[in-house]
Amino acid sequence: QVQLVESGGGSVQAGGSLRLSCEASGFPLSTYSMGWFRQAPGKEREGVAVIGTDSRTRYAESVKGRFTISKDNAKNILYLQMNSLKPEDTAMYYCAARAGWTLTLGPDRYNYWGQGTQVTVSS
């Protein structure tokens, strides 16, 4: 049974950093493409960063240079290092998985989702 559990969210001031983790179980991370997505109140869910089975990455323009996605296949954990956080980064952050290779930022292409972790950035 595929399961994704996010952690690491919290409240920080603008300019601060957070590292999100997503523990995956029920499948080998090495054979799934993984992504981080976020949804702010009243807005659609959007892709933030994705990593393919070959560890290639893709980022939304709004987070390029500030966020870094990575994974540890041995531990089956996905990470999102978020630096220079801005108030507009405030949202619920979700990790998601899809079998096989992709670098799409489109949420509808991912089959499995975690429950989310809240990130709040104050000015």
Side-chain angles (χ1 to χ4, degrees):
Q1 180 180 353
V2 172
Q3 191 170 13
L4 301 170
V5 180
E6 301 97 333
S7 61
S11 297
V12 296
Q13 289 192 326
S17 298
L18 283 173
R19 188 175 81 155
L20 305 183
S21 298
C22 173
E23 292 191 41
S25 59
F27 67 98
L29 207 59
S30 59
T31 64
Y32 278 62
S33 294
M34 304 292 295
W36 286 100
F37 300 80
R38 66 186 181 188
Q39 187 167 19
K43 293 188 176 182
E44 291 187 356
R45 191 170 297 189
E46 63 175 355
V48 174
V50 297
I51 185 165
T53 53
D54 56 1
S55 295
R56 289 166 57 189
T57 59
R58 182 182 178 189
Y59 297 90
E61 286 296 325
S62 60
V63 306
K64 275 185 181 177
R66 300 188 298 122
F67 291 10
T68 302
I69 188 172
S70 62
K71 62 178 181 173
D72 185 328
N73 286 338
K75 295 182 179 179
N76 243 36
I77 299 178
L78 177 74
Y79 300 101
L80 184 68
Q81 178 66 44
M82 304 186 296
N83 299 328
S84 302
L85 282 161
K86 304 176 181 180
E88 51 263 44
D89 294 318
T90 295
M92 184 72 79
Y93 282 71
Y94 301 88
C95 74
R98 170 200 160 104
W101 184 89
T102 187
L103 284 181
T104 181
L105 286 167
D108 59 337
R109 300 297 183 93
Y110 292 78
N111 309 107
Y112 305 101
W113 292 83
Q115 83 289 348
T117 185
Q118 178 69 38
V119 171
T120 303
V121 185
S122 58
S123 57

